[in-house]
């Protein structure tokens, strides 16, 4: 468990920190302030989006700073978090589940423009099979599509990586939400709700 | 500290089950008193000002409750002024639930949050939500379990509502589009929380909070709620009758204050973990610095249980850069065992959290812990669980497997090293059944409120609480909008506390609310220099006032 010090560049600043730290910890360790772009610090909030280039590599990757350990020679740039324009829809407006597929393209018209370039797959920091998920949703296979987005943290990088400005993460979330809204009907829950409604349960203090 | 070094302890470890439980030799009350951090000597002080004057309070919390404001009336000259019916402060689970519900009632809603919408402890919640839905369970059992775990110090009316509302809350969440784990017939699966008498927690893998937060955030974005992100509230506003009348927002990206006049304010600003009480690591979000308690206290709201915090038994202790982050209690529900460095089992894993945490701290204090570079811990015997139920980690705990990969510790192969981590603020602002604080016009919901959990919270009651009371507060607030709003809205309430603090000779250099942990260097950040510049102006003002008063 020997601590090795490494030097890197974050937002243009030279930073020296132990290699046992992630990018945010290293930046703080070197005395630089960082507030926006910091969130849960465990990879589920999607706030700390960074562009990273490693030494001897021409490739720039998109990652989450709290999930990426600092390395010798690494160059890092924090990305500001822009809240993209949303596709608006209300689940309550779907009168029944037969209509969902027909309305999907009204809500997400860009989906039919997908060029299958794989940009979204490349930038996803959670290694989600994004393009495939969008394709499944376009075929109306919402439950299957939603399953691919279980680990999605809504960092919006896939949208940044899409030349057609599809919001794949929002498509994934849509697929998950309609699945729950129309298809989760647990009998144990419904029985209990009924019993409570009939007044079968009361609490004695 | 005595103990066995990590490498040596790991080489001694073997997959084996089941292990006998060692006799504790200490009664629970004694165990808590000797080892739970709430009972550490000199960790609490008496509050000198405010509605809780004379009450015991954690030293670090007392410091922020009795801090000086970052602003005064001077700072508000010529700033942008907005008006809304309901102002929700906080963009986590409670805030989003309240905003969605209030908007459904057709009133104007604005939601202000310190960071990004959804950045909160909710998104990090793993275990699940309690709802008594199994045939072997009743709301009464939920009620009794919650009271018992909280050492019978909870507000019974709040707990009754909590227990009765569980099933309805799960239904509401499904209708928002949230998924839960179901069996092949579509029935909800349940887990048994530590300290409960029946399986009662519904969940989604170990991503329950993430699933919930994505859905609630999307719901907020799809209804008529004005969202102000990166806008921490620095103080609440009052009117001439002492009614809460809005808030002062700062804006991290534009260096400017905004005054929001509101007919009702719902405070849902979360907890306090990032104050690192008693130098503990925390499982909390970066923004959890107890701001809401400070805001409410300055306005005169009564708080409770300010010396009681939850230390979650299973925080990660190795690798060191992940110290404090959470391993869900769901792993214990699934049957994992906790072992000391000698491989002995020393505590019933499904006891309440305060009990298990104190037992772990005791093992480490008495030299039976595993030593790392920076700390100490005990084993969470995950490989044995994987052996007994092959594939369980991949199926049920993908987040843990992910985190293991990141720290080069595969929980299926190597036991996880754990130590209690600061997790939850048991107390908070006193509320009634509609989430109303003792200050008219100010509602408090979610972790910032107090009274539901007594001195110890059960797994799954936090996610439940924030929906139950987030919805109740929003409905009540929307139905009771004051006709006459916005009269003589000011920071007048600050001057009384300021005078009192000065009279007592308190150190006025510390400015609250804290907003961010010290290590983020907020006060030196050139991006936010205007906000800090105004603090300097405020300090000058305070000095002049002091000169004048003497």
């Amino acid at each position: 468990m020997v601590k090795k010090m490494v030097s890197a560049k974050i937002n243009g600043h030279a930073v020296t920190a132990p290699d046992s730290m992630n990018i945010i910890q290293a930046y703080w360790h070197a005395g630089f302030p960082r507030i926006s772009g910091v969130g849960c610090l465990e990879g589920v909030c999607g706030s700390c989006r960074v562009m990273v280039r490693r030494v001897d590599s021409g490739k720039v990757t998109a990652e989450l700073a709290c999930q990426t350990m600092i390395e010798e020679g690494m160059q890092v740039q924090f990305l500001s978090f822009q809240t993209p324009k949303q596709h608006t829809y209300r689940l309550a407006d779907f009168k029944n589940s037969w209509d969902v597929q027909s309305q999907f393209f009204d809500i997400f018209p860009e989906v039919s423009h997908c060029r299958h370039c794989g940009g979204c797959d490349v930038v996803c920091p959670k290694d989600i099979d994004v393009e495939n998920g969008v394709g499944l949703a376009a075929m109306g296979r919402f439950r299957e599509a939603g399953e691919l987005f279980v680990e999605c943290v809504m960092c919006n990088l896939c949208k940044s990586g899409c030349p057609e400005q599809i919001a794949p993460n929002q498509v994934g979330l849509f697929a998950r939400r309609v699945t729950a809204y129309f298809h989760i009907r647990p009998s144990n829950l419904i029985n209990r709700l009924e019993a409570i409604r009939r007044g079968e349960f009361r609490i004695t203090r | 500290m005595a103990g066995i070094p990590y490498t040596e302890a790991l080489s001694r470890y073997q997959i084996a089950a089941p292990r006998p439980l060692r006799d504790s030799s200490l009664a629970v009350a004694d165990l808590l008193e000797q080892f739970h951090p709430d009972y550490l000597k000199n960790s609490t002080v008496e509050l000198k000002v405010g509605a809780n004057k004379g009450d015991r309070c954690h030293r670090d919390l007392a410091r922020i409750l009795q801090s000086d404001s970052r602003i005064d009336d001077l700072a508000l000259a010529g700033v942008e002024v907005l008006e809304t019916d309901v102002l929700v402060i906080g963009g986590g689970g409670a805030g989003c639930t309240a905003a969605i519900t209030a908007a459904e009632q057709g009133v104007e809603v604005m939601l202000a949050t310190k960071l990004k919408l959804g950045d909160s402890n909710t998104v990090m919640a793993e275990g699940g939500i309690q709802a008594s839905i199994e045939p072997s369970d009743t709301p009464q059992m939920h009620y009794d379990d919650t009271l018992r775990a909280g050492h019978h110090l909870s507000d019974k009316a709040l707990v009754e509502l909590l227990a009765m509302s569980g099933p309805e809350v799960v239904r509401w969440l499904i209708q928002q589009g949230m998924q839960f784990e179901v069996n092949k017939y579509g029935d909800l699966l349940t887990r048994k929380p530590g300290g409960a008498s029946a399986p009662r927690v519904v969940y989604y893998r170990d991503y329950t909070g993430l699933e919930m937060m994505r859905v609630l955030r999307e719901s907020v974005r799809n209804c008529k709620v004005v969202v102000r992100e990166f806008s921490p509230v620095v103080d609440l506003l009052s009117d001439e009758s002492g009614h809460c009348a809005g808030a002062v927002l700062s804006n991290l990206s534009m260096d400017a204050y905004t005054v929001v006049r509101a007919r009702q304010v719902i405070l849902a600003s979360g907890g306090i973990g990032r104050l690192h009480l008693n130098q503990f690591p925390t499982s909390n979000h970066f923004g959890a610095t107890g701001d809401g308690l400070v805001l409410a206290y300055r306005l005169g709201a009564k708080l409770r249980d300010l010396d009681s915090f939850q230390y979650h038994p299973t925080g990660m202790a190795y690798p060191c850069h992940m110290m404090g982050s959470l391993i869900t209690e769901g792993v214990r529900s699934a049957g994992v065992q906790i072992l000391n460095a000698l491989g002995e089992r020393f505590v019933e894993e499904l006891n309440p959290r305060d009990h298990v945490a104190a037992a772990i701290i005791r093992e480490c204090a008495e030299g039976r812990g595993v030593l790392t570079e920076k700390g100490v811990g005990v084993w969470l015997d995950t490989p044995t669980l994987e052996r007994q139920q092959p594939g369980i980690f991949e199926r049920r705990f993908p987040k843990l497997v992910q985190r293991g990969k990141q720290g080069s510790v595969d929980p299926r192969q190597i036991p996880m090293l754990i130590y209690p981590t600061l997790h939850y603020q048991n107390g908070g602002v006193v509320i009634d059944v509609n989430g109303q604080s003792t200050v008219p016009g100010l509602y408090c919901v979610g972790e910032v409120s107090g009274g539901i959990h007594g001195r110890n919270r059960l797994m799954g009651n936090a996610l439940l609480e924030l929906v139950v009371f987030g919805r109740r507060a929003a409905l009540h607030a929307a139905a009771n909008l004051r006709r006459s709003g916005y009269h003589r809205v000011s920071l007048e309430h600050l001057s009384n506390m300021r005078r009192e603090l000065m009279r007592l000779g308190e150190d006025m250099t510390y400015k609250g609310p804290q907003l961010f942990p010290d290590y983020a260097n907020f006060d030196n950040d050139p991006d936010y220099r205007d906000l800090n510049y105004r603090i300097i102006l405020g300090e000058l003002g305070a000095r002049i006032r002091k000169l004048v008063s003497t």
Side-chain angles (χ1 to χ4, degrees):
Chain A
M1 287 192 281
V2 188
K3 242 194 251 173
K4 206 176 113 207
M5 298 298 279
V6 295
S7 300
K9 236 179 191 176
I10 304 179
N11 278 7
H13 298 292
V15 165
T16 306
D19 66 353
S20 59
M21 288 183 172
N22 65 42
I23 290 171
I24 295 172
Q25 288 169 332
Y27 203 42
W28 283 342
H29 175 85
F32 292 100
R34 188 75 215 168
I35 284 158
S36 50
V38 181
C40 69
L41 297 165
E42 56 178 52
V44 291
C45 78
S47 293
C48 57
R49 316 170 331 151
V50 287
M51 305 279 270
V52 174
R53 190 161 77 184
R54 291 180 171 76
V55 76
D56 297 332
S57 166
K59 218 171 117 186
V60 175
T61 56
E63 300 181 35
L64 296 178
C66 74
Q67 301 293 292
T68 310
M69 306 303 281
I70 195 84
E71 291 168 25
E72 181 63 40
M74 194 181 240
Q75 293 180 48
V76 182
Q77 183 68 42
F78 275 86
L79 297 172
S80 67
F81 196 99
Q82 253 131 28
T83 305
K85 206 173 146 284
Q86 290 272 314
H87 296 78
T88 47
Y89 64 95
R90 293 166 59 88
L91 291 175
D93 294 342
F94 296 113
K95 291 305 165 216
N96 71 59
S97 50
W98 296 92
D99 300 339
V100 176
Q101 194 172 352
S102 67
Q103 290 181 23
F104 174 73
F105 285 101
D106 296 341
I107 302 165
F108 298 100
E110 312 86 350
V111 165
S112 57
H113 305 159
C114 177
R115 302 180 192 176
H116 305 284
C117 67
C120 48
D121 292 343
V122 173
V123 291
C124 178
K126 293 284 173 185
D127 297 328
I128 293 169
D129 201 357
V130 186
E131 191 188 296
N132 187 16
V134 173
L136 287 169
M139 289 187 278
R141 290 159 71 173
F142 295 116
R143 186 188 289 264
E144 226 175 319
E147 281 301 306
L148 294 177
F149 287 88
V150 167
E151 303 212 328
C152 174
V153 297
M154 300 300 283
C155 69
N156 288 336
L157 278 168
C158 54
K159 183 167 185 185
S160 317
C162 176
E164 294 292 346
Q165 289 288 291
I166 299 170
N169 56 339
Q170 220 197 338
V171 170
L173 183 52
F174 174 89
R176 294 185 61 75
R177 289 182 80 202
V178 292
T179 303
Y181 185 78
F182 286 113
H183 304 296
I184 300 190
R185 292 292 180 273
S187 63
N188 50 356
L189 174 64
I190 294 168
N191 283 333
R192 180 54 51 94
L193 283 166
E194 260 309 285
I196 289 175
R197 194 185 61 75
R198 288 194 303 264
E200 284 174 27
F201 291 106
R202 298 216 190 279
I203 285 179
T204 326
R205 287 194 201 166
Chain B
M1 189 177 273
I4 300 178
Y6 184 86
T7 329
E8 188 190 332
L10 188 60
S11 65
R12 278 196 200 184
Y13 163 81
Q14 283 178 337
I15 294 181
R19 290 178 171 85
L21 190 61
R22 193 193 69 209
D23 194 17
S24 158
S25 76
L26 258 185
V28 178
D30 295 329
L31 179 72
L32 291 176
E33 202 168 318
Q34 289 176 37
F35 295 100
H36 194 279
D38 277 353
Y39 298 90
L40 275 173
K41 274 208 186 76
N42 304 323
S43 68
T44 63
V45 295
E46 214 168 80
L47 286 170
K48 293 178 182 166
V49 295
N52 290 74
K53 191 171 169 178
D55 288 0
R56 299 305 294 180
C57 174
H58 191 278
R59 194 175 358 110
D60 301 345
L61 178 53
R63 179 163 172 258
I64 64 164
L65 288 181
Q66 300 179 144
S67 64
D68 195 15
S69 170
R70 287 174 173 267
I71 54 168
D72 54 23
D73 283 316
L74 192 72
L76 302 185
V79 303
E80 176 190 27
V81 178
L82 301 174
E83 293 184 354
T84 184
D85 291 334
V86 176
L87 172 66
V88 178
I89 301 169
C96 287
T97 301
I100 296 164
T101 309
E104 279 168 0
Q105 302 305 304
V107 301
E108 280 176 32
V109 184
M110 181 186 289
L111 184 154
T113 185
K114 182 157 62 179
L115 291 159
K116 188 164 70 66
L117 188 66
D119 263 357
S120 61
N121 283 336
T122 304
V123 78
M124 302 159 76
E126 298 177 0
I129 306 175
Q130 282 208 39
S132 67
I133 54 164
E134 295 289 3
S136 62
D137 194 16
T138 63
Q140 180 75 47
M141 287 160 74
H142 186 174
Y143 173 86
D144 293 340
D145 289 345
T146 304
L147 278 191
R148 195 180 330 106
H151 302 267
H152 298 281
L153 294 166
S154 312
D155 180 328
K156 291 179 179 170
L158 301 181
V159 181
E160 180 174 340
L161 267 172
L162 184 83
M164 286 302 286
S165 311
E168 184 51 43
V169 161
V170 178
R171 177 185 167 153
W172 184 79
L173 287 168
I174 292 170
Q175 290 311 99
Q176 295 297 312
M178 179 173 174
Q179 297 197 9
F180 290 92
E181 300 287 340
V182 293
N183 68 12
K184 66 174 175 173
Y185 301 113
D187 280 357
L188 290 168
L189 293 176
T190 51
R191 281 173 180 158
K192 187 174 167 183
S197 52
R200 188 181 300 136
V201 169
V202 295
Y203 59 98
Y204 186 75
R205 319 245 164 125
D206 52 356
Y207 284 124
T208 314
L210 173 63
E211 172 72 4
M212 182 165 162
M213 200 65 248
R214 299 194 268 241
V215 161
L216 293 180
R217 186 202 290 122
E218 190 79 350
S219 263
V220 170
R221 294 274 187 211
N222 282 299
C223 59
K224 281 187 187 158
V225 175
V226 178
V227 178
R228 301 273 292 213
E229 296 180 298
F230 303 106
S231 301
V233 169
V234 289
D235 258 305
L236 296 174
L237 293 162
S238 58
D239 70 4
E240 54 192 351
S241 60
H243 206 286
C244 181
V248 182
L249 275 51
S250 62
N251 187 324
L252 294 185
S253 51
M254 286 166 63
D255 291 352
Y257 289 113
T258 302
V259 165
V260 181
R261 294 174 174 177
R263 290 168 198 270
Q264 304 277 24
V265 174
I266 301 177
L267 186 60
S269 55
I272 204 176
R274 288 279 158 186
L275 292 186
H276 297 282
L277 305 180
N278 303 318
Q279 279 83 52
F280 264 74
T282 182
S283 60
N284 280 188
H285 187 274
F286 176 61
T289 50
D291 303 352
L293 295 178
V294 181
L295 302 176
Y297 198 60
R298 282 183 186 155
L299 201 53
K302 179 103 177 145
L303 315 181
R304 56 172 290 171
D305 304 316
L306 301 172
D307 55 347
S308 173
F309 300 89
Q310 181 159 78
Y311 296 80
H312 193 294
T314 55
M316 285 177 78
Y318 180 88
C320 295
H321 72 276
M322 292 165 90
M323 258 167 85
S325 77
L326 192 68
I327 298 173
T328 173
E329 186 166 316
V331 186
R332 276 178 287 142
S333 302
V336 82
Q337 301 195 332
I338 298 177
L339 313 172
N340 65 18
L342 311 170
E344 295 171 328
R345 213 177 136 227
F346 56 90
V347 66
E348 182 61 59
E349 289 78 6
L350 280 181
N351 277 335
R353 286 177 174 173
D354 53 351
H355 179 171
V356 179
I360 293 171
I361 293 170
R362 177 193 182 190
E363 288 305 294
C364 295
E366 293 179 351
R368 296 184 294 274
V370 180
L371 299 176
T372 69
E373 199 183 330
K374 280 196 184 158
V376 62
V378 296
W379 298 124
L380 190 68
D381 187 4
T382 44
T384 299
L385 183 65
E386 176 70 16
R387 173 78 62 91
Q388 291 163 333
Q389 301 178 48
I392 185 168
F393 283 93
E394 212 170 349
R395 269 198 323 277
R396 293 270 181 261
F397 307 108
K399 182 172 172 191
L400 180 57
V401 174
Q402 268 292 329
R403 317 223 62 220
K405 267 186 206 152
Q406 192 206 344
S408 309
V409 180
D410 184 343
R412 293 164 292 194
Q413 311 283 333
I414 297 176
M416 305 293 277
L417 198 67
I418 54 162
Y419 192 76
T421 179
L422 182 55
H423 188 59
Y424 194 82
Q425 158 191 307
N426 292 323
V429 184
V430 172
I431 56 167
D432 69 4
V433 290
N434 293 312
Q436 282 183 290
S437 73
T438 55
V439 176
L442 179 66
Y443 296 77
C444 294
V445 293
E447 192 170 348
V448 75
S449 71
I452 295 167
H453 311 294
R455 291 186 69 86
N456 179 56
R457 178 172 68 78
L458 283 178
M459 166 198 194
N461 267 350
L463 291 188
L464 174 57
E465 168 202 347
L466 62 87
V467 181
V468 174
F469 292 95
R471 282 184 57 72
R472 290 186 71 88
L475 290 172
H476 194 266
N480 293 282
L481 289 184
R482 284 194 309 164
R483 284 256 174 111
S484 60
Y486 323 135
H487 277 304
R488 312 196 92 190
V489 173
S490 75
L491 292 169
E492 185 55 34
H493 61 280
L494 291 179
S495 34
N496 292 335
M497 190 175 268
R498 221 173 230 157
R499 257 195 305 277
E500 184 79 0
L501 287 168
M502 260 187 219
R503 194 178 60 76
L504 293 166
E506 287 294 297
D507 175 16
M508 304 285 280
T509 51
Y510 179 72
K511 307 294 175 193
Q514 164 108 26
L515 303 183
F516 299 102
D518 293 334
Y519 40 81
N521 288 321
F522 170 66
D523 290 337
N524 301 319
D525 195 330
D527 285 359
Y528 315 122
R529 70 183 171 280
D530 191 54
L531 193 60
N532 295 314
Y533 174 62
R534 282 170 191 273
I535 294 173
I536 297 167
L537 268 186
E539 265 163 32
L540 271 176
R543 270 187 217 162
I544 292 166
R545 277 194 302 275
K546 197 168 185 178
L547 274 176
V548 172
S549 69
T550 50

